[in-house]
Amino acid sequence: MEKNKKKILIGSVSGIAAAVLLTGIIVAAVQGSGKAVKVAPVSNMNSGGWSSGSEISDYGTVTTNMNQDIYYDDSLTVKEVYVKAGDTVKIGDRLVAYDTTLATMEKEMKQMEIEGIALNRKNIEAELKQLRGTKAVAKGNVAGTNTVVKTSAAGTDTVVNADTGKSRTTASVQRQNMTAREGNTDTGTAGSDQDSTVTDGKETGKPFPEELKGTKIYDKITEESVPYNEDGDGTEEKPYRYLCAPGVTVHAQFMLKVLENREICTFEVVDDKDNPTRILYEWTLDGKNGQIIKPVQPDQPDTPSEPDVPDEPDTPSEPEDPSEPDDPGISDGPTKEELAKEIQEKEERLKELELEQRTAELELKQLKKKVDNAIVTSTVEGTVKSVTDEETARLENTPIISVVGEDGFYVTGRVAETAFDKIKEGMTVTVTSWTSGMTYEATISGVSSSPLTGYSDGNNENLSYYPFTAVIHGDAELSNGDGVDLSIDDLSSQDEDEIYLEQMFVREDGNQYYVYKKGDNGKLKKQYVEVGKNVSGSLEIVSGLSLDDEIAFPYGRDVREGAKTKSTDTLYDYK
């Protein structure tokens, strides 16, 4: 209990100190004018030491009558049951074995879903780069026409409609930059106005067929999903074909049907569900052989088929598209407002995709856990209360196997999603009683594959936690419901190189973050950084900054790139 009081006291003092120091920093920044900007070593400003760095929740609950229930899982099929009602079991005894064929296929598809999201993010990041490099024109110079905006991606332009502010990326007539990127040639067709998705100046996939415009695009494939090819019969020659959005998920019941009917289905992933312009790649579910055929990128037009590019870029090799005539009286480019709107939309979509990818990666960890744990063992010592067949358990939502534990001491803890794939059965947990201060060792006997609902550690509400069970062997001065502190050596140590900066030292620019640091020339420099977790108001700096760098408080009239700097030990100066 004394240990817990110390934690609360330290947290309160830290919070008060931070408030006072922040006030002092802001006052100093506002008062300064024309002076050198103070910078301090990141190592001194690193607040990572204020956090335990632990990837498990540091408290747990004691239970003296633990039970274990195994419920039906639609991605697993029971292969063998090792126990019957009335059997006595010990921790580690086998209870049931699963056929993981379906879970393995689901794992592979989840991996492809993540790859699809990552590809879509990369495409949008390339579009954002183009938009940020586009020069806006005065509002009065654009009216009632499509204008071609020159962009930085090799061989591409962005076409903006001045009435709607909508833009699209097209293959440029001029291909002077085709080989600018280490042999990374553009495979689009010169002179085409076909919409394209561009990644670092390289088109991916193939153009979306006109005849498929209006066809339903799925973000979830279920038993009710209908293939778009009417002549498909589920064979290798004519597989069932489905158009899918990036990050598509395939339900387990659909996969079961495909396996039972020995069908072959091909999924074609487009770049945008609402306005598809390209098919990025496709992959196949082979129900005959029970396997996934990895994603392939559809054939692209051969580069040699492109017409020759003239030496003079001002002389087009073929007539210009009459739908987009040049008007010498109108300046090329979108307005500032149109650009801002387009950039905001792209940034918002990027944030959505980042969340989708994080969720999918967590689901992949859960599936890997299922595949790796094909045999479920007992997490308690006790008696098998009941054994029910799969179908009855599914229909009645009752356990397939239920084990009633004998008297003993079990501890329920919680592990963060960031360490979900690190925690293993058999690991040792150090347990410290809040009541007596006594310390015991417990052994992890099971980890749930389902996250807790509505639980937060108070630091990061977006972080999911998974319950685990640990058993204390022998007697202990504990009672049912007692609170305890928990620690696991392999999950509790903090990397000495970790950097956490309080949020007031990190500024946000759209979906990017930056700090002001001292450059090599001694002048202030704007430095973009990649951030990770948010722990108690401090941001993890994943890349872009080292402990040896010196940073400034990023607000105030003197804080700008090129400003003189003055080194100091700390920025917590409120004198």
Side-chain angles (χ1 to χ4, degrees):
M1 199 64 173
E2 185 67 21
K3 181 178 178 181
N4 198 42
K5 287 180 180 177
K6 289 181 180 178
K7 288 184 180 180
I8 296 172
L9 179 59
I10 291 171
S12 300
V13 171
S14 298
I16 295 169
V20 173
L21 293 172
L22 175 57
T23 303
I25 291 170
I26 293 174
V27 170
V30 172
Q31 289 177 344
S33 178
K35 298 179 181 179
V37 178
K38 289 183 179 181
V39 291
V42 172
S43 56
N44 291 354
M45 305 310 299
N46 187 9
S47 61
W50 292 9
S51 168
S52 68
S54 176
E55 293 182 292
I56 66 167
S57 176
D58 57 4
Y59 73 91
T61 307
V62 174
T63 303
T64 56
N65 53 350
M66 178 70 72
N67 296 334
Q68 181 182 7
D69 292 326
I70 301 173
Y71 283 87
Y72 172 81
D73 188 324
D74 63 2
S75 65
L76 296 170
T77 304
V78 173
K79 184 164 64 175
E80 186 175 357
V81 176
Y82 298 105
V83 294
K84 62 182 184 298
D87 283 353
T88 300
V89 293
K90 295 182 179 179
I91 294 172
D93 285 351
R94 296 183 302 175
L95 299 178
V96 61
Y98 287 112
D99 178 349
T100 60
T101 301
L102 195 60
T104 300
M105 294 173 67
E106 195 172 350
K107 183 189 74 171
E108 292 177 359
M109 285 190 287
K110 186 61 65 176
Q111 181 62 56
M112 287 185 285
E113 176 187 338
I114 293 169
E115 291 170 1
I117 296 173
L119 178 60
N120 205 25
R121 284 180 61 184
K122 195 171 183 181
N123 286 328
I124 292 177
E125 285 167 357
E127 293 172 8
L128 258 176
K129 183 178 179 181
Q130 295 171 21
L131 289 168
R132 285 173 177 152
T134 300
K135 186 176 181 181
V137 299
K139 191 169 185 179
N141 291 342
V142 181
T145 186
N146 285 340
T147 60
V148 181
V149 180
K150 300 300 178 183
T151 61
S152 58
T156 63
D157 294 337
T158 298
V159 176
V160 180
N161 185 292
D163 293 332
T164 65
K166 298 292 183 180
S167 71
R168 57 190 173 90
T169 306
T170 67
S172 173
V173 174
Q174 307 302 333
R175 297 285 178 170
Q176 62 267 35
N177 294 326
M178 279 172 49
T179 58
R181 295 178 181 266
E182 300 179 1
N184 195 19
T185 58
D186 191 325
T187 56
T189 304
S192 168
D193 67 351
Q194 171 66 48
D195 288 358
S196 308
T197 299
V198 177
T199 303
D200 293 336
K202 182 176 180 180
E203 294 175 353
T204 57
K206 67 179 180 181
F208 189 79
E210 283 292 330
E211 61 270 20
L212 293 183
K213 290 288 175 80
T215 303
K216 183 167 183 178
I217 298 174
Y218 293 97
D219 49 24
K220 293 181 181 178
I221 300 292
T222 68
E223 290 180 282
E224 288 72 37
S225 300
V226 179
Y228 73 76
N229 56 328
E230 296 180 357
D231 61 340
D233 56 12
T235 62
E236 289 184 23
E237 294 75 20
K238 295 182 179 180
Y240 294 126
R241 292 185 170 273
Y242 300 82
L243 289 178
C244 304
V248 63
T249 59
V250 181
H251 285 200
Q253 292 302 318
F254 176 89
M255 288 190 289
L256 279 174
K257 184 189 74 171
V258 170
L259 288 169
E260 290 171 359
N261 298 335
R262 298 174 61 80
E263 298 169 342
I264 296 178
C265 301
T266 296
F267 305 91
E268 300 172 353
V269 181
V270 302
D271 58 345
D272 190 303
K273 179 182 178 182
D274 298 322
N275 183 30
T277 61
R278 299 192 75 76
I279 295 178
L280 299 177
Y281 62 87
E282 63 184 40
W283 55 275
T284 299
L285 172 59
D286 186 345
K288 289 184 178 179
N289 301 311
Q291 63 182 4
I292 302 291
I293 300 175
K294 294 294 184 180
V296 294
Q297 187 169 296
D299 293 335
Q300 300 179 357
D302 293 332
T303 302
S305 65
E306 297 184 359
D308 293 335
V309 180
D311 294 334
E312 294 296 330
D314 292 330
T315 306
S317 59
E318 54 186 78
E320 296 180 2
D321 189 342
S323 65
E324 296 177 355
D326 285 338
D327 187 339
I330 298 177
S331 299
D332 286 350
T335 66
K336 182 179 180 181
E337 291 77 13
E338 291 167 344
L339 263 181
K341 180 181 178 183
E342 190 83 10
I343 289 172
Q344 182 182 4
E345 289 174 354
K346 298 294 183 187
E347 289 175 341
E348 289 175 354
R349 180 58 183 147
L350 262 185
K351 288 182 179 179
E352 291 173 0
L353 288 172
E354 287 169 4
L355 179 59
E356 288 176 17
Q357 185 168 339
R358 175 177 166 271
T359 302
E361 287 171 346
L362 181 55
E363 292 170 349
L364 179 62
K365 288 182 181 179
Q366 296 170 10
L367 288 167
K368 284 180 179 177
K369 204 94 169 180
K370 286 183 181 181
V371 172
D372 294 342
N373 299 322
I375 297 178
V376 180
T377 59
S378 178
T379 60
V380 300
E381 296 186 1
T383 304
V384 178
K385 179 182 177 182
S386 62
V387 177
T388 309
D389 66 89
E390 264 188 297
E391 187 62 19
T392 302
R394 182 179 72 85
L395 294 174
E396 298 180 1
N397 193 30
T398 55
I400 295 175
I401 298 175
S402 182
V403 180
V404 178
E406 296 176 351
D407 288 342
F409 298 102
Y410 301 91
V411 178
T412 301
R414 305 159 188 82
V415 60
E417 64 184 69
T418 52
F420 181 74
D421 53 349
K422 299 178 186 177
I423 194 166
K424 309 289 183 183
E425 292 181 13
M427 291 178 74
T428 300
V429 183
T430 301
V431 180
T432 304
S433 170
W434 289 357
T435 305
S436 66
M438 294 290 290
T439 298
Y440 308 94
E441 284 193 351
T443 303
I444 294 178
S445 59
V447 184
S448 173
S449 59
S450 300
L452 291 164
T453 302
Y455 174 80
S456 170
D457 68 345
N459 295 324
N460 187 348
E461 294 184 359
N462 295 320
L463 198 64
S464 296
Y465 279 78
Y466 292 76
F468 65 85
T469 302
V471 58
I472 298 174
H473 301 285
D475 284 336
E477 293 182 27
L478 297 168
S479 301
N480 191 44
D482 276 359
V484 292
D485 280 337
L486 304 177
S487 65
I488 301 177
D489 288 341
D490 293 340
L491 300 182
S492 299
S493 59
Q494 182 173 311
D495 188 343
E496 292 181 357
D497 294 330
E498 280 186 349
I499 297 176
Y500 282 83
L501 294 178
E502 288 188 78
Q503 285 179 283
M504 61 184 173
F505 295 112
V506 184
R507 296 190 66 169
E508 192 171 356
D509 179 10
N511 67 328
Q512 295 181 299
Y513 294 84
Y514 67 91
V515 298
Y516 278 102
K517 77 170 191 176
K518 180 181 178 180
D520 295 335
N521 59 357
K523 302 293 181 64
L524 208 58
K525 174 185 176 183
K526 186 177 182 180
Q527 175 68 43
Y528 283 94
V529 295
E530 181 184 354
V531 303
K533 300 188 290 289
N534 184 328
V535 179
S536 301
S538 291
L539 292 175
E540 178 188 18
I541 307 300
V542 177
S543 65
L545 207 60
S546 74
L547 290 168
D548 296 328
D549 285 327
E550 294 179 69
I551 61 170
F553 182 68
Y555 299 92
R557 286 175 290 179
D558 299 326
V559 178
R560 63 186 184 282
E561 285 198 288
K564 295 179 181 178
T565 60
K566 178 183 178 182
S567 295
T568 183
D569 290 335
T570 180
L571 297 178
Y572 295 125
D573 182 7
Y574 52 93
K575 294 179 181 178

